[in-house]
Amino acid sequence: MKNTKLILALLTSLVVTACGGSGDSDVGSTNTPLYFDASNDQAVSATAIRTASGTTFEIFNPDNFATDVYDALFPLVVKNIPCINSGGNIAADLTTPTGTMVYSNCVISATSGKILNGTAYVHNALLDTNIDRVTATISFNNLKITIGGITTNLTGSYDLTADGLNNTFTPKFSARETTFPNGFPVKLILTNTSGQQEVLSNFNFYVDVISNSTTTYTSDFKLASDSLGGLITHQSIAGFPYEKSSPNLRPSLGKTYILGQTPTELRITVFGNENSPPAASQVKVDRSVDSGFSYSFTNYYSWSQL
């Protein structure tokens, strides 16, 4: 249900593997809010957009996992769920509200070609009487995810909700920081091959399939990033809509705020996709040094720069 072109376009050189540990795992000194200035507003903007609806988001996208939980719960028996690829398989045991889904070389997304290997742990799974809504807590412990040849190990937990599953065109999915960790980290912890970490906390991610052609992504989260050197807070004001039938790879609308070390903030406004308007004015990044009372510094970026 995702935009194939978007996923491929946003697939960058970020290689992430999960880091185990307790729910209190941190990223060293990068829990300190990052001070925004002219040297980092482009990198911060690119990282925020990638996490809100791009490569980082695709690693734990609730769309895919909700569909698998739904298939495991209906009908409620131990089963092997066939994957998109002929050699893949999901061994699902959700005959009680808590169980497992074991992925074996399973392609779960035809659009991104995402391949899973390992176990997803499902807690308190519930399918409503209309067979239309799924809720569960889903946890990961080094679940291997491969997209475009890049393999990621995912560890952490989130509360999963999917509504409208009987309507192919307008389902809604969300991933929220879990309230029931079951011994797994509450945060989503990602570590790249160089040992750099990214940790997501205080997060709410929403995927709203508005129609057969449009999907909108909105999110709020905190991201502690070694690559950025600090902590940023992302707040959606207007979501990023993606037109699945359009030849364009990027959204033409969207607005978000990024909070850093007081008094610095960024305001990101999308004015057009990668083809319109001209590249010089596709994405506007305003920087405030007085806690958002005014935005005195402005840079424009093309999508190719983000």
Side-chain angles (χ1 to χ4, degrees):
M1 296 182 183
K2 296 161 295 302
N3 190 318
T4 306
K5 299 171 295 181
L6 169 67
I7 298 302
L8 295 176
L10 291 177
L11 196 54
T12 66
S13 59
L14 176 69
V15 182
V16 287
T17 58
C19 172
S22 70
D24 295 327
S25 296
D26 291 324
V27 189
S29 61
T30 57
N31 280 299
T32 301
L34 183 65
Y35 189 90
F36 301 149
D37 57 29
S39 70
N40 62 17
D41 69 0
Q42 181 180 357
V44 169
S45 300
T47 298
I49 292 172
R50 184 186 68 219
T51 305
S53 62
T55 308
T56 303
F57 172 80
E58 178 62 15
I59 293 168
F60 57 90
N61 190 337
D63 181 339
N64 295 148
F65 293 108
T67 302
D68 294 339
V69 172
Y70 178 88
D71 289 341
L73 290 172
F74 183 71
L76 193 61
V77 295
V78 177
K79 69 190 77 173
N80 288 320
I81 302 172
C83 302
I84 294 172
N85 57 320
S86 59
N89 181 67
I90 307 171
D93 183 0
L94 294 185
T95 52
T96 65
T98 296
T100 58
M101 297 187 301
V102 181
Y103 295 86
S104 299
N105 193 35
C106 178
V107 176
I108 64 171
S109 171
T111 53
S112 68
K114 182 161 61 175
I115 305 171
L116 271 64
N117 282 284
T119 302
Y121 302 86
V122 183
H123 317 273
N124 293 341
L126 179 64
L127 179 64
D128 76 349
T129 54
N130 294 323
I131 316 176
D132 190 54
R133 174 183 170 87
V134 165
T135 57
T137 296
I138 188 163
S139 303
F140 314 97
N141 185 13
N142 294 323
L143 178 68
K144 294 185 182 298
I145 301 172
T146 303
I147 307 173
I150 298 175
T151 298
T152 297
N153 289 351
L154 175 64
T155 290
S157 301
Y158 63 77
D159 289 338
L160 169 72
T161 301
D163 285 297
L165 293 175
N166 283 333
N167 189 327
T168 304
F169 296 147
T170 58
K172 304 178 189 301
F173 305 91
S174 69
R176 306 182 66 178
E177 184 173 84
T178 183
T179 56
F180 186 55
N182 298 285
F184 290 87
V186 174
K187 302 173 183 179
L188 293 177
I189 307 168
L190 307 115
T191 307
N192 68 21
T193 53
S194 299
Q196 290 186 322
Q197 293 187 347
E198 290 190 345
V199 173
L200 277 164
S201 62
N202 300 96
F203 56 84
N204 294 284
F205 290 88
Y206 300 95
V207 181
D208 188 355
V209 183
I210 298 173
S211 67
N212 189 38
S213 62
T214 304
T215 299
T216 297
Y217 298 80
T218 56
S219 58
D220 299 308
F221 56 83
K222 290 187 176 182
L223 177 67
S225 170
D226 273 350
S227 63
L228 292 178
L231 176 73
I232 64 173
T233 299
H234 175 276
Q235 298 177 346
S236 287
I237 303 301
F240 297 114
Y242 294 91
E243 302 294 332
K244 289 182 283 188
S245 60
S246 168
N248 301 312
L249 304 176
R250 307 292 186 145
S252 56
L253 298 170
K255 188 173 185 178
T256 189
Y257 287 101
I258 312 297
L259 308 182
Q261 183 182 127
T262 304
T264 62
E265 297 183 9
L266 298 179
R267 180 177 61 195
I268 303 173
T269 307
V270 176
F271 287 111
N273 56 52
E274 74 276 17
N275 294 313
S276 176
S281 57
Q282 289 167 359
V283 181
K284 181 183 179 184
V285 178
D286 298 306
R287 178 162 45 91
S288 172
V289 293
D290 58 7
S291 298
F293 287 101
S294 64
Y295 290 85
S296 304
F297 305 92
T298 297
N299 285 305
Y300 286 89
Y301 296 106
S302 66
W303 277 113
S304 64
Q305 295 174 293
L306 300 174

